[in-house]
């Protein structure tokens, strides 16, 4: 077991836990050199090594999450031609140093982004397809091990044969467990003993990967430091041996709403990565839910004549332009204690990137508060009842995106080739003709045409 001084991740299940897998649980994660944190909790998702819209000093000053999810494919763009720059960065803690991430935060390194862009070519027996900023390429298990040996993340997710896009056929499914098992054994054999490695659990039925999972349970339960689930539904089928039950469980299952998070917590999931935080921020949606219930004053904010409250507010509509209240009345984040809705609506409509920064700070704070309330609820034995109350109070899905987000980047989507519709609206265009009016050159276009070209919106008098 990993208990020697200066060694790897320690996970402690708090409270009484029998060897049954079922039910929500409390835990604490401790990694030498990083801040301890309690579970259930979440890791922020990074893009190219940063939490989008937030600089490392903003992360240090205004967020509470315990760690970040990073993707190897974001760092090895030049792997084909030469040495990726990150490999020449001096250590230790290369990932922290290269990205200026606060040292107190845990780094988790996975092969692919969350969510990952579907690759045109599938994985092979020895390598997986990844999407770097210079295009698709493959990373072999051997290369993956060598990257992990150099980068030494606090938590390394082993390579998994996960098919993105279409559902795998029967022949493919049969291979997935075998490949993943081989790659996991290659990683744990090569890495120093103190490296925390999480074993991936594949997004297929338990029976289709039972040989692999039994191998992890029988041979590697003392060697791996946790399990990473690409599908949380497999969790209840994991063999409930004493050693396996004590491993922390990470969800890479990409929950699409707080209800999905709660369901996974009820299965016994400990750590989450949550892409919808970033989706909401990019769409200009400020999350507004509280667990288990809204503030009594929030009852008046119902929509569509139903009694269900929305999970967030779309900050684009000009109806917020005169609102001097914070994004969420009870929120204690930097954004809510310093600025009002009108200012944030103004920043979005002016395409000022500070708008997204403020919403991102707030949205991460809402999720941190959500998890701390969930832990309190589990501690009080009220989790099941509180989940029911939450479901009665809030809509099940996030509001639809209405406004325009920040520019879409190449790693957000796969190019469809020539003739593809532009993902980003032109920020500015040609002013068109000009005409001479009283000695001055003025645009020969009305406010409607200018608005159509992405200039400031026309105000209806
Ligand atoms: Zn806030």
């Amino acid at each position: 077991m990993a208990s020697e001084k200066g060694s790897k991740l320690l996970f402690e299940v708090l409270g009484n836990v029998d060897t049954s897998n079922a039910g929500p649980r409390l835990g604490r994660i401790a990694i030498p050199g990083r801040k301890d944190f309690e579970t259930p909790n979440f890791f922020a998702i990074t893009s190219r090594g940063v939490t989008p819209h937030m600089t490392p000093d903003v992360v240090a000053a205004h967020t509470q999450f315990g760690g970040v999810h990073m993707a190897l494919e974001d760092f090895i763009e030049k792997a084909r031609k030469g040495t990726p720059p990150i490999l020449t960065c001096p250590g230790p803690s290369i990932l922290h140093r290269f990205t200026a991430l606060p040292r107190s935060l845990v780094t988790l390194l996975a092969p692919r982004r969350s969510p990952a862009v579907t690759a045109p070519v599938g994985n092979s027996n020895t390598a997986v397809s990844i999407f770097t900023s210079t295009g698709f390429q493959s990373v072999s298990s051997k290369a993956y091990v060598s990257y992990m040996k150099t980068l030494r993340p606090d938590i390394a997710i082993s390579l998994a044969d996960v098919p993105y896009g279409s559902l795998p056929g029967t022949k493919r499914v049969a291979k997935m467990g075998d490949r993943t098992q081989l790659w996991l054994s290659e990683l744990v054999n090569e890495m120093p003993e103190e490296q925390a490695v999480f074993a991936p659990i594949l997004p297929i039925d338990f029976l289709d990967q039972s040989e692999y999972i039994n191998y992890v349970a029988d041979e590697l339960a003392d060697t791996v430091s946790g399990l990473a689930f690409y599908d949380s539904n497999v969790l209840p089928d994991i063999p409930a041996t004493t050693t396996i039950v004590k491993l922390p469980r990470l969800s890479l299952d990409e929950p699409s709403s707080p209800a999905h998070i709660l369901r996974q917590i009820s299965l016994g999931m400990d750590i989450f990565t949550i892409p919808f935080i970033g989706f909401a921020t990019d769409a200009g949606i400020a999350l507004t839910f509280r667990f288990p219930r809204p503030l009594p004053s929030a009852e008046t904010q119902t929509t569509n004549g139903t009694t269900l409250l929305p999970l967030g507010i779309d900050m684009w509509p000009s109806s917020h332009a005169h609102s001097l209240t914070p994004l969420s009345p009870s929120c204690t984040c930097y954004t809510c204690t310093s600025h009002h809705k009108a200012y944030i609506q103004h920043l979005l409509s002016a395409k000022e990137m500070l708008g997204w920064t403020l919403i991102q700070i707030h949205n991460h704070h809402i999720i941190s508060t959500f998890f701390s309330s969930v832990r309190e609820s589990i501690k009080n034995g009220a989790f099941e009842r509180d989940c029911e109350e939450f479901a009665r109070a809030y809509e099940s899905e996030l509001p639809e995106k209405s406004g325009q987000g920040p520019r879409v980047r190449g790693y957000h989507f796969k190019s469809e080739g020539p003739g593809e519709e532009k993902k980003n609206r032109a920020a500015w265009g040609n002013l068109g003709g000009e005409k001479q009016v009283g000695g001055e050159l003025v645009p020969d276009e009305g406010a409607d045409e200018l608005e159509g070209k992405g200039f400031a919106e026309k105000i209806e008098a």
Side-chain angles (χ1 to χ4, degrees), residues 157-365:
I157 309 282
S158 181
L159 214 53
D161 185 21
V162 176
Y164 293 93
S166 56
L167 287 172
T170 327
K171 270 172 90 179
R172 174 70 195 283
V173 163
K175 281 183 188 168
M176 286 169 66
D178 296 346
R179 288 173 176 175
T180 306
Q181 175 171 336
L182 178 69
W183 298 338
L184 174 63
S185 64
E186 283 172 356
L187 185 66
V188 295
N189 286 340
E190 289 285 325
M191 294 305 282
E193 207 188 320
E194 66 273 17
Q195 172 66 50
V197 172
F198 277 27
I201 305 297
L202 297 165
I204 49 174
D205 287 345
F206 173 77
L207 284 179
D208 291 327
Q209 54 179 327
S210 60
E211 206 174 306
Y212 160 62
I213 291 178
N214 287 329
Y215 161 78
V216 174
D218 298 339
E219 312 280 326
L220 291 181
D222 285 326
T223 313
V224 297
S225 299
L227 304 176
F229 290 85
Y230 285 92
D231 180 353
S232 52
N233 294 317
V234 186
L235 206 167
D237 297 323
I238 299 290
T241 66
T242 336
T243 335
I244 284 284
V245 166
K246 283 182 187 156
L247 293 175
R249 302 156 184 162
L250 167 79
S251 167
L252 298 174
D253 193 8
E254 302 175 354
S256 69
S257 69
H260 288 169
I261 299 176
L262 293 173
R263 183 177 171 272
Q264 294 188 28
I265 291 174
S266 73
L267 296 175
M269 203 65 83
D270 302 305
I271 316 167
F272 290 81
T273 54
I274 309 173
F276 78 70
I277 308 175
F279 298 158
T281 302
D282 285 353
I285 292 168
L287 303 175
T288 46
F289 54 87
R290 293 170 87 246
F291 187 81
R293 67 190 73 86
L295 284 179
S297 60
E299 304 293 350
T300 52
Q301 296 175 0
T302 54
T303 52
N304 311 330
T306 69
T307 50
L308 292 178
L309 289 165
L311 294 166
I313 322 169
D314 181 354
M315 287 308 298
W316 282 91
S318 53
S319 53
H320 301 299
H322 301 285
S323 171
L324 300 182
T325 57
L327 294 176
S328 181
S330 61
C331 185
T332 56
C333 82
Y334 167 77
T335 305
C336 291
T337 51
S338 315
H339 301 290
H340 44 60
K341 282 183 193 156
Y343 180 55
I344 291 156
Q345 195 273 338
H346 156 73
L347 292 172
L348 287 181
S349 53
K351 316 270 165 67
E352 272 290 348
M353 58 186 185
L354 177 60
W356 286 287
T357 304
L358 292 176
I359 296 178
Q360 185 78 315
I361 291 171
H362 166 81
N363 283 348
H364 278 79
H365 185 88

Side-chain angles (χ1 to χ4, degrees), residues 45 85 87 91 129 143 146 159 173 177 238 257 278 368 426 435 458:
I45 290 178
L87 294 186
S129 289
S146 114
L159 214 53
V173 163
I238 299 290
S257 69
S368 288
K435 58 185 176 189
K458 194 173 88 172

